[in-house]
PDB file of all heavy atoms in Angstrom:
ATOM      1  N   ILE A   5      86.845  98.196 117.428  1.00 99.00           N
ATOM      2  CA  ILE A   5      87.041  98.192 115.997  1.00 99.00           C
ATOM      3  C   ILE A   5      88.432  97.733 115.650  1.00 99.00           C
ATOM      4  O   ILE A   5      89.396  98.328 116.109  1.00 99.00           O
ATOM      5  CB  ILE A   5      86.781  99.576 115.414  1.00 99.00           C
ATOM      6  CG1 ILE A   5      85.307 100.048 115.723  1.00 99.00           C
ATOM      7  CG2 ILE A   5      87.047  99.601 113.907  1.00 99.00           C
ATOM      8  CD1 ILE A   5      85.062 101.491 115.387  1.00 99.00           C
ATOM      9  N   ASN A   6      88.522  96.665 114.883  1.00 98.00           N
ATOM     10  CA  ASN A   6      89.802  96.012 114.551  1.00 98.00           C
ATOM     11  C   ASN A   6      90.239  96.544 113.155  1.00 98.00           C
ATOM     12  O   ASN A   6      89.572  96.244 112.136  1.00 98.00           O
ATOM     13  CB  ASN A   6      89.598  94.493 114.502  1.00 98.00           C
ATOM     14  CG  ASN A   6      90.927  93.723 114.438  1.00 98.00           C
ATOM     15  OD1 ASN A   6      91.918  94.236 113.942  1.00 98.00           O
ATOM     16  ND2 ASN A   6      90.899  92.469 114.968  1.00 98.00           N
ATOM     17  N   CYS A   7      91.327  97.295 113.102  1.00 98.00           N
ATOM     18  CA  CYS A   7      91.711  98.018 111.891  1.00 98.00           C
ATOM     19  C   CYS A   7      92.511  97.146 110.924  1.00 98.00           C
ATOM     20  O   CYS A   7      92.823  97.571 109.798  1.00 98.00           O
ATOM     21  CB  CYS A   7      92.505  99.240 112.224  1.00 98.00           C
ATOM     22  SG  CYS A   7      91.552 100.606 112.892  1.00 98.00           S
ATOM     23  N   HIS A   8      92.894  95.890 111.304  1.00 98.00           N
ATOM     24  CA  HIS A   8      93.651  95.053 110.354  1.00 98.00           C
ATOM     25  C   HIS A   8      93.558  93.606 110.741  1.00 98.00           C
ATOM     26  O   HIS A   8      94.080  93.222 111.782  1.00 98.00           O
ATOM     27  CB  HIS A   8      95.079  95.500 110.303  1.00 98.00           C
ATOM     28  CG  HIS A   8      95.914  94.703 109.320  1.00 98.00           C
ATOM     29  ND1 HIS A   8      95.630  94.756 107.960  1.00 98.00           N
ATOM     30  CD2 HIS A   8      96.931  93.841 109.436  1.00 98.00           C
ATOM     31  CE1 HIS A   8      96.495  93.978 107.276  1.00 98.00           C
ATOM     32  NE2 HIS A   8      97.272  93.404 108.184  1.00 98.00           N
ATOM     33  N   THR A   9      92.943  92.819 109.873  1.00 98.00           N
ATOM     34  CA  THR A   9      92.968  91.378 110.026  1.00 98.00           C
ATOM     35  C   THR A   9      93.293  90.729 108.663  1.00 98.00           C
ATOM     36  O   THR A   9      93.101  91.306 107.618  1.00 98.00           O
ATOM     37  CB  THR A   9      91.605  90.795 110.523  1.00 98.00           C
ATOM     38  OG1 THR A   9      90.617  91.027 109.478  1.00 98.00           O
ATOM     39  CG2 THR A   9      91.179  91.441 111.794  1.00 98.00           C
ATOM     40  N   HIS A  10      93.849  89.545 108.731  1.00 96.00           N
ATOM     41  CA  HIS A  10      93.922  88.566 107.706  1.00 96.00           C
ATOM     42  C   HIS A  10      93.175  87.304 108.211  1.00 96.00           C
ATOM     43  O   HIS A  10      93.793  86.410 108.710  1.00 96.00           O
ATOM     44  CB  HIS A  10      95.352  88.188 107.293  1.00 96.00           C
ATOM     45  CG  HIS A  10      96.081  89.263 106.536  1.00 96.00           C
ATOM     46  ND1 HIS A  10      95.876  89.542 105.236  1.00 96.00           N
ATOM     47  CD2 HIS A  10      97.016  90.156 106.988  1.00 96.00           C
ATOM     48  CE1 HIS A  10      96.662  90.550 104.847  1.00 96.00           C
ATOM     49  NE2 HIS A  10      97.349  90.906 105.904  1.00 96.00           N
ATOM     50  N   ILE A  11      91.865  87.397 108.224  1.00 96.00           N
ATOM     51  CA  ILE A  11      91.082  86.458 108.967  1.00 96.00           C
ATOM     52  C   ILE A  11      90.937  85.126 108.215  1.00 96.00           C
ATOM     53  O   ILE A  11      90.649  84.076 108.829  1.00 96.00           O
ATOM     54  CB  ILE A  11      89.691  87.043 109.326  1.00 96.00           C
ATOM     55  CG1 ILE A  11      89.176  86.426 110.621  1.00 96.00           C
ATOM     56  CG2 ILE A  11      88.693  86.901 108.139  1.00 96.00           C
ATOM     57  CD1 ILE A  11      88.100  87.264 111.242  1.00 96.00           C
ATOM     58  N   GLY A  12      91.252  85.108 106.904  1.00 95.00           N
ATOM     59  CA  GLY A  12      91.112  83.883 106.099  1.00 95.00           C
ATOM     60  C   GLY A  12      92.032  82.768 106.526  1.00 95.00           C
ATOM     61  O   GLY A  12      91.707  81.594 106.377  1.00 95.00           O
ATOM     62  N   ASP A  13      93.215  83.110 107.081  1.00 94.00           N
ATOM     63  CA  ASP A  13      94.162  82.065 107.447  1.00 94.00           C
ATOM     64  C   ASP A  13      93.871  81.431 108.822  1.00 94.00           C
ATOM     65  O   ASP A  13      94.682  80.694 109.360  1.00 94.00           O
ATOM     66  CB  ASP A  13      95.617  82.497 107.274  1.00 94.00           C
ATOM     67  CG  ASP A  13      95.998  83.673 108.155  1.00 94.00           C
ATOM     68  OD1 ASP A  13      95.330  83.912 109.150  1.00 94.00           O
ATOM     69  OD2 ASP A  13      96.985  84.349 107.775  1.00 94.00           O
ATOM     70  N   THR A  14      92.683  81.718 109.375  1.00 95.00           N
ATOM     71  CA  THR A  14      92.244  81.089 110.603  1.00 95.00           C
ATOM     72  C   THR A  14      92.141  79.563 110.465  1.00 95.00           C
ATOM     73  O   THR A  14      92.207  78.858 111.450  1.00 95.00           O
ATOM     74  CB  THR A  14      90.887  81.645 111.052  1.00 95.00           C
ATOM     75  OG1 THR A  14      90.585  81.169 112.369  1.00 95.00           O
ATOM     76  CG2 THR A  14      89.805  81.282 110.089  1.00 95.00           C
ATOM     77  N   VAL A  15      92.079  79.054 109.224  1.00 94.00           N
ATOM     78  CA  VAL A  15      91.978  77.594 108.970  1.00 94.00           C
ATOM     79  C   VAL A  15      93.286  76.906 109.115  1.00 94.00           C
ATOM     80  O   VAL A  15      93.336  75.634 108.952  1.00 94.00           O
ATOM     81  CB  VAL A  15      91.321  77.357 107.616  1.00 94.00           C
ATOM     82  CG1 VAL A  15      89.870  77.778 107.571  1.00 94.00           C
ATOM     83  CG2 VAL A  15      92.121  78.065 106.492  1.00 94.00           C
ATOM     84  N   VAL A  16      94.372  77.659 109.327  1.00 93.00           N
ATOM     85  CA  VAL A  16      95.735  77.013 109.470  1.00 93.00           C
ATOM     86  C   VAL A  16      96.356  77.581 110.750  1.00 93.00           C
ATOM     87  O   VAL A  16      97.557  77.940 110.769  1.00 93.00           O
ATOM     88  CB  VAL A  16      96.637  77.201 108.239  1.00 93.00           C
ATOM     89  CG1 VAL A  16      96.101  76.376 107.065  1.00 93.00           C
ATOM     90  CG2 VAL A  16      96.687  78.662 107.858  1.00 93.00           C
ATOM     91  N   LYS A  17      95.645  77.603 111.819  1.00 95.00           N
ATOM     92  CA  LYS A  17      96.166  78.160 113.094  1.00 95.00           C
ATOM     93  C   LYS A  17      97.425  77.464 113.489  1.00 95.00           C
ATOM     94  O   LYS A  17      97.568  76.262 113.396  1.00 95.00           O
ATOM     95  CB  LYS A  17      95.095  77.980 114.173  1.00 95.00           C
ATOM     96  CG  LYS A  17      93.851  78.799 114.006  1.00 95.00           C
ATOM     97  CD  LYS A  17      92.890  78.556 115.201  1.00 95.00           C
ATOM     98  CE  LYS A  17      91.653  79.391 115.072  1.00 95.00           C
ATOM     99  NZ  LYS A  17      90.735  78.810 114.066  1.00 95.00           N
ATOM    100  N   GLU A  18      98.371  78.292 113.955  1.00 94.00           N
ATOM    101  CA  GLU A  18      99.674  77.830 114.444  1.00 94.00           C
ATOM    102  C   GLU A  18     100.515  77.174 113.364  1.00 94.00           C
ATOM    103  O   GLU A  18     101.534  76.543 113.667  1.00 94.00           O
ATOM    104  CB  GLU A  18      99.534  76.961 115.657  1.00 94.00           C
ATOM    105  CG  GLU A  18      99.336  77.649 116.970  1.00 94.00           C
ATOM    106  CD  GLU A  18      98.070  78.552 117.011  1.00 94.00           C
ATOM    107  OE1 GLU A  18      97.010  78.001 117.069  1.00 94.00           O
ATOM    108  OE2 GLU A  18      98.242  79.759 116.941  1.00 94.00           O
ATOM    109  N   LEU A  19     100.182  77.354 112.121  1.00 91.00           N
ATOM    110  CA  LEU A  19     101.030  76.859 111.007  1.00 91.00           C
ATOM    111  C   LEU A  19     102.451  77.465 111.135  1.00 91.00           C
ATOM    112  O   LEU A  19     103.412  76.769 110.839  1.00 91.00           O
ATOM    113  CB  LEU A  19     100.427  77.234 109.681  1.00 91.00           C
ATOM    114  CG  LEU A  19     101.237  76.872 108.420  1.00 91.00           C
ATOM    115  CD1 LEU A  19     101.386  75.363 108.297  1.00 91.00           C
ATOM    116  CD2 LEU A  19     100.614  77.470 107.168  1.00 91.00           C
ATOM    117  N   GLY A  20     102.492  78.675 111.539  1.00 87.00           N
ATOM    118  CA  GLY A  20     103.808  79.383 111.631  1.00 87.00           C
ATOM    119  C   GLY A  20     104.562  79.199 112.883  1.00 87.00           C
ATOM    120  O   GLY A  20     105.650  79.764 113.047  1.00 87.00           O
ATOM    121  N   TYR A  21     103.965  78.513 113.867  1.00 92.00           N
ATOM    122  CA  TYR A  21     104.627  78.398 115.204  1.00 92.00           C
ATOM    123  C   TYR A  21     105.941  77.685 115.063  1.00 92.00           C
ATOM    124  O   TYR A  21     106.054  76.549 114.620  1.00 92.00           O
ATOM    125  CB  TYR A  21     103.696  77.611 116.139  1.00 92.00           C
ATOM    126  CG  TYR A  21     104.163  77.761 117.615  1.00 92.00           C
ATOM    127  CD1 TYR A  21     103.645  78.694 118.441  1.00 92.00           C
ATOM    128  CD2 TYR A  21     105.128  76.906 118.098  1.00 92.00           C
ATOM    129  CE1 TYR A  21     104.076  78.832 119.745  1.00 92.00           C
ATOM    130  CE2 TYR A  21     105.567  77.018 119.406  1.00 92.00           C
ATOM    131  CZ  TYR A  21     105.013  77.943 120.228  1.00 92.00           C
ATOM    132  OH  TYR A  21     105.444  78.096 121.524  1.00 92.00           O
ATOM    133  N   GLY A  22     107.013  78.403 115.474  1.00 89.00           N
ATOM    134  CA  GLY A  22     108.316  77.755 115.459  1.00 89.00           C
ATOM    135  C   GLY A  22     108.963  77.628 114.087  1.00 89.00           C
ATOM    136  O   GLY A  22     110.044  77.076 113.950  1.00 89.00           O
ATOM    137  N   VAL A  23     108.304  78.222 113.034  1.00 87.00           N
ATOM    138  CA  VAL A  23     108.919  78.090 111.667  1.00 87.00           C
ATOM    139  C   VAL A  23     110.091  79.109 111.636  1.00 87.00           C
ATOM    140  O   VAL A  23     109.925  80.250 111.968  1.00 87.00           O
ATOM    141  CB  VAL A  23     107.828  78.477 110.614  1.00 87.00           C
ATOM    142  CG1 VAL A  23     108.506  78.616 109.269  1.00 87.00           C
ATOM    143  CG2 VAL A  23     106.737  77.419 110.635  1.00 87.00           C
ATOM    144  N   PRO A  24     111.258  78.630 111.173  1.00 88.00           N
ATOM    145  CA  PRO A  24     112.413  79.524 111.139  1.00 88.00           C
ATOM    146  C   PRO A  24     112.200  80.749 110.273  1.00 88.00           C
ATOM    147  O   PRO A  24     111.410  80.718 109.270  1.00 88.00           O
ATOM    148  CB  PRO A  24     113.541  78.653 110.528  1.00 88.00           C
ATOM    149  CG  PRO A  24     113.103  77.227 110.836  1.00 88.00           C
ATOM    150  CD  PRO A  24     111.594  77.245 110.757  1.00 88.00           C
ATOM    151  N   ALA A  25     112.908  81.828 110.572  1.00 83.00           N
ATOM    152  CA  ALA A  25     112.694  83.082 109.840  1.00 83.00           C
ATOM    153  C   ALA A  25     113.053  83.040 108.394  1.00 83.00           C
ATOM    154  O   ALA A  25     112.571  83.817 107.543  1.00 83.00           O
ATOM    155  CB  ALA A  25     113.494  84.196 110.509  1.00 83.00           C
ATOM    156  N   ASP A  26     113.928  82.088 108.012  1.00 83.00           N
ATOM    157  CA  ASP A  26     114.310  81.973 106.611  1.00 83.00           C
ATOM    158  C   ASP A  26     113.388  81.128 105.716  1.00 83.00           C
ATOM    159  O   ASP A  26     113.607  80.939 104.539  1.00 83.00           O
ATOM    160  CB  ASP A  26     115.765  81.401 106.482  1.00 83.00           C
ATOM    161  CG  ASP A  26     115.907  80.015 107.059  1.00 83.00           C
ATOM    162  OD1 ASP A  26     114.957  79.565 107.706  1.00 83.00           O
ATOM    163  OD2 ASP A  26     116.963  79.433 106.884  1.00 83.00           O
ATOM    164  N   VAL A  27     112.304  80.608 106.320  1.00 85.00           N
ATOM    165  CA  VAL A  27     111.277  79.879 105.607  1.00 85.00           C
ATOM    166  C   VAL A  27     110.156  80.836 105.174  1.00 85.00           C
ATOM    167  O   VAL A  27     109.774  81.715 105.932  1.00 85.00           O
ATOM    168  CB  VAL A  27     110.683  78.728 106.495  1.00 85.00           C
ATOM    169  CG1 VAL A  27     109.504  78.065 105.789  1.00 85.00           C
ATOM    170  CG2 VAL A  27     111.749  77.707 106.831  1.00 85.00           C
ATOM    171  N   ASN A  28     109.725  80.711 103.939  1.00 84.00           N
ATOM    172  CA  ASN A  28     108.699  81.573 103.417  1.00 84.00           C
ATOM    173  C   ASN A  28     107.339  81.150 103.985  1.00 84.00           C
ATOM    174  O   ASN A  28     106.695  80.168 103.562  1.00 84.00           O
ATOM    175  CB  ASN A  28     108.591  81.509 101.906  1.00 84.00           C
ATOM    176  CG  ASN A  28     107.535  82.396 101.278  1.00 84.00           C
ATOM    177  OD1 ASN A  28     106.827  83.091 102.013  1.00 84.00           O
ATOM    178  ND2 ASN A  28     107.432  82.388  99.989  1.00 84.00           N
ATOM    179  N   LEU A  29     106.869  81.883 105.009  1.00 84.00           N
ATOM    180  CA  LEU A  29     105.607  81.582 105.668  1.00 84.00           C
ATOM    181  C   LEU A  29     104.478  82.364 105.075  1.00 84.00           C
ATOM    182  O   LEU A  29     103.357  81.823 104.870  1.00 84.00           O
ATOM    183  CB  LEU A  29     105.676  81.912 107.160  1.00 84.00           C
ATOM    184  CG  LEU A  29     104.424  81.809 107.996  1.00 84.00           C
ATOM    185  CD1 LEU A  29     103.901  80.376 107.985  1.00 84.00           C
ATOM    186  CD2 LEU A  29     104.660  82.316 109.411  1.00 84.00           C
ATOM    187  N   LEU A  30     104.686  83.642 104.750  1.00 82.00           N
ATOM    188  CA  LEU A  30     103.598  84.558 104.408  1.00 82.00           C
ATOM    189  C   LEU A  30     103.509  84.976 102.927  1.00 82.00           C
ATOM    190  O   LEU A  30     102.448  85.404 102.501  1.00 82.00           O
ATOM    191  CB  LEU A  30     103.763  85.836 105.242  1.00 82.00           C
ATOM    192  CG  LEU A  30     103.739  85.646 106.763  1.00 82.00           C
ATOM    193  CD1 LEU A  30     104.085  86.972 107.459  1.00 82.00           C
ATOM    194  CD2 LEU A  30     102.348  85.190 107.210  1.00 82.00           C
ATOM    195  N   TRP A  31     104.570  84.924 102.203  1.00 80.00           N
ATOM    196  CA  TRP A  31     104.657  85.583 100.875  1.00 80.00           C
ATOM    197  C   TRP A  31     104.080  84.715  99.782  1.00 80.00           C
ATOM    198  O   TRP A  31     104.368  83.513  99.681  1.00 80.00           O
ATOM    199  CB  TRP A  31     106.054  86.008 100.590  1.00 80.00           C
ATOM    200  CG  TRP A  31     106.607  86.949 101.514  1.00 80.00           C
ATOM    201  CD1 TRP A  31     107.419  86.703 102.620  1.00 80.00           C
ATOM    202  CD2 TRP A  31     106.376  88.340 101.618  1.00 80.00           C
ATOM    203  NE1 TRP A  31     107.680  87.834 103.354  1.00 80.00           N
ATOM    204  CE2 TRP A  31     107.059  88.878 102.720  1.00 80.00           C
ATOM    205  CE3 TRP A  31     105.592  89.241 100.807  1.00 80.00           C
ATOM    206  CZ2 TRP A  31     107.043  90.238 103.051  1.00 80.00           C
ATOM    207  CZ3 TRP A  31     105.625  90.601 101.176  1.00 80.00           C
ATOM    208  CH2 TRP A  31     106.318  91.084 102.268  1.00 80.00           C
ATOM    209  N   GLN A  32     103.283  85.302  98.950  1.00 79.00           N
ATOM    210  CA  GLN A  32     102.785  84.647  97.767  1.00 79.00           C
ATOM    211  C   GLN A  32     103.892  84.533  96.687  1.00 79.00           C
ATOM    212  O   GLN A  32     104.781  85.404  96.650  1.00 79.00           O
ATOM    213  CB  GLN A  32     101.576  85.455  97.169  1.00 79.00           C
ATOM    214  CG  GLN A  32     100.353  85.355  98.036  1.00 79.00           C
ATOM    215  CD  GLN A  32      99.170  86.030  97.402  1.00 79.00           C
ATOM    216  OE1 GLN A  32      98.873  87.178  97.763  1.00 79.00           O
ATOM    217  NE2 GLN A  32      98.483  85.410  96.481  1.00 79.00           N
TER     218      GLN A  32
END
C-alpha cells in the first residue's frame, strides 16, 4: 500500500533531474 503519490507527473519523467535547487520545479 503506497501512502503518497503524485502520479500525474509521470508524463514528465526526469524533468527535475539535475535542475538546480533555486529553480521552481514543484510549486504552482
